[in-house]
């Protein structure tokens, strides 16, 4: 069963993910207007460096994404918010 696409709005930021683990890395997150921070990855994008999303750092975006069980937002599309 496919997860539903939902709309999320927030500011795209870079944060430390998986701190203290072997997977620790800098990654992209969406800081929602309510303050919740969710890791994001563009569908088909690289987990460590995304040349498409990185120029949008600091911008408010409205994204269409599926939230995976891990909490990761798998972004399919976005627009400035």
């Amino acid at each position: 069963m496919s997860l539903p696409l939902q709309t999320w709005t927030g500011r795209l930021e870079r944060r430390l993910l998986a701190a203290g683990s072997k997977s620790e890395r800098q990654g992209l997150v969406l800081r929602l207007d309510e303050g919740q921070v969710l890791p994001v990855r563009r569908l088909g994008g690289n987990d460590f460096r995304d040349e498409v999303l990185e120029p949008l750092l600091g911008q408010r975006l409205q994204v269409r994404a599926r939230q995976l069980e891990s909490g990761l937002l798998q972004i399919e599309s976005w627009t400035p918010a």
Side-chain angles (χ1 to χ4, degrees):
M1 184 169 142
S2 180
L3 297 170
L5 269 174
Q6 297 177 319
T7 301
W8 309 80
T9 302
R11 187 165 309 279
L12 189 64
E13 299 178 348
R14 181 184 309 282
R15 295 256 176 112
L16 183 64
L17 301 175
S21 74
K22 289 182 181 180
S23 300
E24 182 176 294
R25 66 194 178 285
Q26 290 289 320
L28 298 177
V29 298
L30 191 67
R31 184 172 44 87
L32 304 181
D33 295 337
E34 307 83 46
Q36 186 179 8
V37 176
L38 298 171
V40 298
R41 184 178 321 143
R42 184 174 50 90
L43 183 63
N46 186 309
D47 190 29
F48 297 98
R49 193 146 203 81
D50 190 320
E51 306 83 26
V52 175
L53 288 179
E54 286 184 1
L56 303 175
L57 281 169
Q59 295 184 28
R60 284 191 79 248
L61 301 176
Q62 184 176 66
V63 302
R64 297 271 297 149
R66 289 183 169 83
Q67 187 172 28
L68 306 182
E69 286 184 25
S70 65
L72 175 83
L73 293 182
Q74 187 178 53
I75 298 175
E76 291 202 2
S77 63
W78 61 91
T79 56

